[in-house]
Amino acid sequence: PTKTKNLFRMGNIHLKNKNKEKAMEYYRDAIKSLFREPYYDNYELLRSVFTTDVFARIKNITSTENNLETAIVLMLNGDIESSEKLLIEERDNNRGNTEETAKLNYLLLLSSRYSKNSELFNKSIMDIYTNIMNNNPLKIGKSKATIVTPSGNFLGRELVLKFGDYNQLIKECRLTKEIIEYISESKDPRFLSPYPIAVMELKPTEENPINGVYFMDYELGETLKQRLLTNPEGSKKNLDDIADFLAFIHANIDTDLIEQSRDHKKEIMSRLNSINIDKILLEKIKIAIDPFVESLKDSEIIYDKDAHSDNWLVTDDNKIVVLDCENRIKNQRERDIANLTDKWNLFTEEGKEYILR
């Protein structure tokens, strides 16, 4: 809270000196800092961060040319009621502007979480969903979750909608909240997680058979895969942190709560069958992989994070955001590590040794 408060006060100073661009830069950093608090959706935390004397000084200078910016300042000062009123008015006046409406609804989600205004929260959720479906119809596949990011690069964060099976999304949401609690307890500043907002059940249709959508938000960044492709040497510090984060997740998630295990032999044979491989060769491979499958029986069973390099984000200040924590499968530890180091063949042998150390 101290860091957040100092950033916010710097924003106030710049706004008072009519340097609006610099002020908004500090306000965005203040919001990012606030979101890194373990329970940033707690309205009492917001109130405790900003003192009443700061509010008294700022409330006379919050009138900016941009009502969206004014609403952010009001929200950060704890004047949620005025902020929400202004945001609702702006949203109603910008119905034809999809991008602007998405930003306004995003802020209304934040403020309604703080104020525990469930009616406004639910309306904003529905408005975001309806706006996306009306203006940008989706063709959602049956087997792969579809990710939509309607808010773009706003306040350094991204609002994400993930479409998929409703029950699986509920489990993913719960597991993500569990990981957030473990991160909070560890007090490790390197580790971050998306924040679950809501899971909404949908009525499936022939065109869109998916029955659920999961709303979450997280910080902007580039994936580990992107970093490895553009700057492999500069990614070593990130690899250290991701290896630690993966070990942290493996150590903390209770595998008794995960029902399904991987059958490696069945999975390998199924994939080989799908490419019409010669039957005699297939039998030889089946016999040859038996020692490999047998060797894994004594391995430690962990939650299968699906740890490939597209499932980790690196922020601009080198924090690590874990993505896609689906609560589906438990597995041998070696499988998850191999998923990190060997998918897409991005690691050199030296890089793999580096991760394993």
Side-chain angles (χ1 to χ4, degrees):
T2 303
K3 180 184 177 183
T4 306
K5 187 187 295 185
N6 289 338
L7 288 166
F8 173 71
R9 282 176 169 163
M10 288 298 295
N12 283 353
I13 290 168
H14 283 288
L15 189 59
K16 195 171 184 178
N17 291 330
K18 302 189 184 308
N19 189 344
K20 188 178 71 174
E21 187 176 336
K22 196 68 178 175
M24 292 311 298
E25 194 176 304
Y26 276 103
Y27 290 141
R28 288 186 180 96
D29 286 343
I31 288 176
K32 181 185 286 189
S33 176
L34 182 65
F35 284 174
R36 286 180 176 175
E37 297 297 332
Y39 300 103
Y40 71 81
D41 61 332
N42 187 331
Y43 184 44
E44 293 308 312
L45 172 64
L46 183 73
R47 299 292 294 186
S48 70
V49 168
F50 308 121
T51 59
T52 52
D53 65 307
V54 175
F55 174 54
R57 287 200 305 275
I58 193 68
K59 67 180 180 181
N60 294 321
I61 56 169
T62 54
S63 180
T64 71
E65 293 176 7
N66 187 318
N67 282 341
L68 187 61
E69 293 173 351
T70 301
I72 293 169
V73 177
L74 287 167
M75 185 190 299
L76 284 171
N77 277 281
D79 189 357
I80 300 295
E81 185 178 349
S82 297
S83 176
E84 288 179 353
K85 184 178 178 181
L86 188 57
L87 288 168
I88 291 168
E89 183 182 328
E90 278 292 292
R91 182 182 65 186
D92 292 342
N93 291 335
N94 281 276
R95 285 297 180 186
N97 187 331
T98 306
E99 185 178 348
E100 195 70 11
T101 304
K103 291 178 180 179
L104 292 159
N105 274 313
Y106 179 75
L107 280 173
L108 283 166
L109 281 180
L110 305 185
S111 65
S112 58
R113 284 213 302 263
Y114 296 143
S115 60
K116 295 183 170 55
N117 185 340
S118 58
E119 183 180 350
L120 179 59
F121 180 86
N122 291 332
K123 187 177 187 318
S124 300
I125 284 282
M126 184 56 72
D127 206 61
I128 289 169
Y129 173 73
T130 304
N131 199 34
I132 289 172
M133 299 308 287
N134 287 344
N135 292 284
N136 192 20
L138 302 170
K139 292 183 178 179
I140 304 171
K142 291 184 180 180
S143 60
K144 191 76 175 173
T146 302
I147 308 295
V148 182
T149 55
S151 62
N153 185 5
F154 181 56
L155 296 179
R157 297 188 69 78
E158 201 150 41
L159 176 63
V160 176
L161 278 68
K162 180 176 182 178
F163 292 82
D165 177 77
Y166 176 74
N167 291 324
Q168 288 297 336
L169 293 174
I170 287 284
K171 290 179 181 180
E172 181 176 349
C173 179
R174 287 175 183 161
L175 183 59
T176 302
K177 287 182 177 179
E178 186 180 340
I179 289 172
I180 289 171
E181 288 182 16
Y182 289 132
I183 293 171
S184 172
E185 290 168 6
S186 76
K187 295 183 170 59
D188 194 318
R190 298 173 296 168
F191 303 160
L192 297 172
S193 169
Y195 194 88
I197 296 173
V199 179
M200 186 170 79
E201 192 167 11
L202 304 175
K203 186 175 180 179
T205 64
E206 283 188 18
E207 187 178 347
N208 286 337
I210 299 302
N211 68 343
V213 55
Y214 174 23
F215 295 76
M216 68 191 97
D217 69 346
Y218 50 73
E219 294 183 44
L220 293 173
E222 60 179 348
T223 65
L224 174 62
K225 181 181 179 181
Q226 291 168 324
R227 288 232 163 169
L228 288 169
L229 287 169
T230 57
N231 186 16
E233 282 302 310
S235 302
K236 284 190 174 179
K237 171 65 169 63
N238 304 137
L239 294 180
D240 275 342
D241 292 340
I242 288 170
D244 287 349
F245 204 167
L246 182 59
F248 173 84
I249 290 170
H250 286 167
N252 281 286
I253 300 300
D254 185 355
T255 54
D256 290 340
L257 302 177
I258 301 170
E259 298 172 4
Q260 190 178 351
S261 298
R262 280 195 186 277
D263 184 328
H264 295 286
K265 186 171 183 178
K266 185 177 178 181
E267 188 176 333
I268 292 169
M269 298 311 296
S270 172
R271 293 192 182 191
L272 290 173
N273 274 316
S274 70
I275 58 173
N276 298 319
I277 198 167
D278 179 77
K279 287 186 178 180
I280 296 174
L281 178 58
L282 194 63
E283 278 302 312
K284 289 180 179 179
I285 293 172
K286 189 175 180 180
I287 295 168
I289 63 175
D290 280 340
F292 159 70
V293 174
E294 192 68 26
S295 72
L296 291 174
K297 286 187 176 178
D298 294 328
S299 297
E300 184 178 358
I301 301 298
I302 47 85
Y303 159 62
D304 187 342
K305 166 59 203 73
D306 192 19
H308 63 74
S309 54
D310 247 351
N311 274 344
W312 306 94
L313 273 186
V314 183
T315 68
D316 55 5
D317 57 352
N318 286 309
K319 308 292 185 188
I320 306 300
V321 185
V322 60
L323 303 179
D324 210 17
C325 294
E326 298 178 349
N327 187 357
R328 290 186 177 174
I329 294 173
K330 50 191 172 186
N331 203 352
Q332 283 83 4
R333 182 189 299 277
E334 290 84 353
R335 164 76 184 234
D336 218 15
I337 295 171
N339 205 2
L340 172 61
T341 58
D342 286 83
K343 193 166 186 177
W344 297 302
N345 201 27
L346 297 174
F347 287 76
T348 62
E349 289 304 314
E350 183 185 0
K352 293 175 188 179
E353 292 278 342
Y354 187 80
I355 276 280
L356 292 171
R357 287 201 300 270

